[in-house]
Amino acid sequence: MKKNGKLYIVAEDQQSCRELESHLAGTAWCVSCFDDPSTAIAAIKVDHPGVVVVDLPSSPLRAQLVELASMEIDVAYIMVVPEGDPRQVVEFFHQNVSDVVVKPFTGERFCQAVERASGCKSLMVQNSLYREQLEKANRELEESLRILEVDQMAGRQVQHSLLPVTPLYYGEYEIAHRIVPSLFLSGDFVGYNVIFDRYMVFYVADVSGHGASSAFLTVLLKFILNRILRRHITRNDMSAMAKAPEGFIEHINRQIMALGLDKHLTMFAASIDMERNILRYSVAAHMPTPVFVSNGDVRSLPGKGKPVGIFPDASWDVQEIVLPEKFAMAIVSDGVLEFLPGASYREKEQFIADTIAKSDTSIESICEGLGVDKVKDAPDDVTVLTIRRGY
C-alpha cells in the first residue's frame, strides 16, 4: 500500500514545532506545523495525513486529538510526553495511539517512532481493506450458495419427476426401485417402461462423479430412451422390441461420445418379453453383478462389457435366459459397497446375494437387509432395482 507522505506536527508553540520538524530534515515526509490545536483538528479531518505528532502536555485540546486517534484507522498518532507517569503512556496505547515518545529523546529515536507508526498504520489500513473485501466476498459467496442450493433443489425435483412410478405392476410382474443420492442430485438413475403391453424395458445407470453434471447426464439418458421407444411405437416396430436391448447401449455411447462431456457411465440394460417370459440383457461394466433368485437357487447373472462413453467403437453382447414362473432379480449400484460388511469385493458381493436370498424379495425387505434405509451422508449414490414374478 502507498504511504501517505503528509505529516502534521501539533505543538503548543512554533518553537516546539520547529524542534520536532528538525528531526525530520532529509526525510521524504511533507511536514506541516500547527501551534493551534483547533486548526490542526480541522485540517486532520479533511486531509487525513499519514502521521500526526502531538506535543501538547498542558493543552486541554490534547484529549480531542487522542479521541481522533481512537476513531481513525488511517492516521497514525504519536504522542510526545515529558518524563512522568507510565500509566498515562499505557492509557495512550489503549486509545489507539500508535507510539509514545518520552522526552528527552534523540532525533534517531523520533524518526524510528515515525516510521514504525506509519508502517503499523499502513498495515492496519491494508488489513481493513482486506477485511472489507473478504466480507464482500463472503456475502457474494453466501448469495451464490443460496442460488446454488435453490438450483440444486429445483434440479432434484426435476430429476425425481423423471423417475418411473415405484412399484410398477404389470400382469404377473413387479418392478420397483430405491435411490439414495449422496448429494442433492444423483448420478444414479433407473428407467423402465412397458411397450406394446408385452415388453418391459429397464436399465440401471451409474454416471461417473457426483452432483449436477452427472445428474444432467441421467436426464439425457431418460430423453434418449423415450425417443427410442417413441420411434418404435410410432413405427409399430415389434421386431426391434423383440431384439431389445440390442443396440441400445451402443446408441447411448455414440451420443455421449459426440457431446464430449468427459463423462462415462456403467449400465445394466434389459428387456423382458412378458408373453414368452424371456429376459434379454447387456452389461456395460456394471457392478456388483445382478442377483437372480428362483426356487431357492441364488446366482449371479453372467455378463460383462466396457463402460459407456470411453470407447467409440465398443459393442455390448446381449445375454438371454428363460424366466421361470417364480423368480426375483435385484440390481444394485456400486455405492452399496461403501457400507456393506466384508473386507473384499467378493465378500461384499456374497453378502448381497445372501441378503436377497433371506429376504421376501420385495424392495423394502432387500433395502432393509442391505441397510440402505439407514445410510446417512452416503459417500456415493446408492440404487436398488428389483424385478420379480409370482410373488
Side-chain angles (χ1 to χ4, degrees):
M1 179 179 178
K2 187 178 180 181
K3 183 173 70 176
N4 187 330
K6 295 180 181 180
L7 184 146
Y8 285 4
I9 297 175
V10 187
E12 290 182 319
D13 52 55
Q14 284 294 324
Q15 177 62 31
S16 299
C17 288
R18 285 193 292 271
E19 287 178 2
L20 293 171
E21 184 179 12
S22 66
H23 296 312
L24 298 170
T27 67
W29 290 102
C30 180
V31 181
S32 298
C33 294
F34 298 86
D35 57 5
D36 179 5
S38 298
T39 304
I41 291 171
I44 291 169
K45 291 179 178 179
V46 174
D47 292 342
H48 292 275
V51 178
V52 174
V53 180
V54 180
D55 185 8
L56 298 170
S58 59
S59 173
L61 293 178
R62 184 173 71 173
Q64 293 189 28
L65 287 161
V66 174
E67 185 178 353
L68 284 177
S70 65
M71 295 187 299
E72 295 180 349
I73 191 174
D74 58 342
V75 179
Y77 283 80
I78 299 175
M79 305 305 294
V80 179
V81 298
E83 220 170 353
D85 188 357
R87 288 178 297 182
Q88 186 184 45
V89 176
V90 174
E91 183 63 26
F92 281 143
F93 281 116
H94 287 168
Q95 293 174 304
N96 205 35
V97 169
S98 299
D99 208 342
V100 177
V101 182
V102 181
K103 293 180 180 179
F105 51 81
T106 64
E108 181 181 3
R109 165 73 180 90
F110 180 71
C111 288
Q112 288 174 350
V114 169
E115 291 301 322
R116 184 167 55 247
S118 174
C120 179
K121 277 295 179 179
S122 296
L123 183 60
M124 290 178 66
V125 172
Q126 189 176 52
N127 288 342
S128 177
L129 291 175
Y130 285 157
R131 185 168 59 252
E132 291 176 2
Q133 293 172 359
L134 182 60
E135 289 173 353
K136 181 182 178 182
N138 283 339
R139 289 193 299 270
E140 293 174 348
L141 178 60
E142 288 176 359
E143 178 63 15
S144 297
L145 288 174
R146 186 191 67 80
I147 294 173
L148 178 61
E149 185 176 8
V150 171
D151 288 347
Q152 292 268 310
M153 290 298 294
R156 184 173 185 171
Q157 291 177 359
V158 170
Q159 189 179 40
H160 185 74
S161 69
L162 295 175
L163 289 169
V165 174
T166 183
L168 173 67
Y169 300 97
Y170 204 92
E172 297 178 312
Y173 287 86
E174 174 197 322
I175 185 167
H177 74 272
R178 183 77 54 83
I179 295 179
V180 180
S182 60
L183 299 173
F184 277 110
L185 300 172
S186 174
D188 283 7
F189 204 71
V190 301
Y192 44 83
N193 298 77
V194 175
I195 307 300
F196 300 131
D197 295 325
R198 176 173 176 176
Y199 298 100
M200 178 181 286
V201 293
F202 57 94
Y203 69 86
V204 176
D206 183 356
V207 182
S208 62
H210 307 282
S213 59
S214 298
F216 292 153
L217 191 51
T218 67
V219 175
L220 177 63
L221 290 176
K222 174 75 173 182
F223 171 76
I224 293 174
L225 176 62
N226 286 350
R227 187 173 59 183
I228 292 173
L229 295 180
R230 280 198 303 269
R231 184 171 68 242
H232 292 329
I233 292 171
T234 302
R235 298 176 180 176
N236 198 29
D237 197 345
M238 296 286 288
S239 61
M241 292 307 305
K243 298 177 182 178
E246 184 178 295
F248 174 59
I249 299 180
E250 286 83 353
H251 181 72
I252 292 175
N253 188 59
R254 288 192 296 270
Q255 294 287 319
I256 295 175
M257 295 293 294
L259 291 172
L261 295 176
D262 194 27
K263 285 283 184 181
H264 66 275
L265 58 99
T266 62
M267 175 177 281
F268 178 87
S271 171
I272 296 178
D273 183 340
M274 293 182 290
E275 189 174 292
R276 299 172 59 208
N277 296 313
I278 291 177
L279 169 70
R280 291 169 54 85
Y281 67 91
S282 295
V283 179
H286 181 88
M287 56 184 296
T289 54
V291 177
F292 192 90
V293 181
S294 176
N295 297 322
D297 177 44
V298 182
R299 59 190 173 95
S300 297
L301 291 183
K304 60 182 181 179
K306 297 176 180 177
V308 183
I310 299 178
F311 306 99
D313 299 322
S315 60
W316 288 266
D317 295 333
V318 177
Q319 309 285 332
E320 183 175 298
I321 62 173
V322 177
L323 297 173
E325 291 186 2
K326 186 176 182 179
F327 77 92
M329 181 170 62
I331 305 108
V332 301
S333 66
D334 61 359
V336 77
L337 301 175
E338 299 289 343
F339 55 85
L340 290 184
S344 66
Y345 170 74
R346 291 299 179 191
E347 290 177 353
K348 293 176 184 287
E349 195 174 43
Q350 186 61 49
F351 182 86
I352 295 172
D354 292 343
T355 298
I356 295 170
K358 294 174 185 176
S359 72
D360 63 9
T361 71
S362 68
I363 188 75
E364 293 80 11
S365 177
I366 292 174
C367 287
E368 181 181 358
L370 295 175
V372 172
D373 295 332
K374 298 179 181 178
V375 173
K376 294 182 179 179
D377 300 322
D380 195 6
D381 302 317
V382 178
T383 296
V384 179
L385 179 75
T386 61
I387 305 97
R388 58 181 184 165
R389 177 192 180 203
Y391 285 90

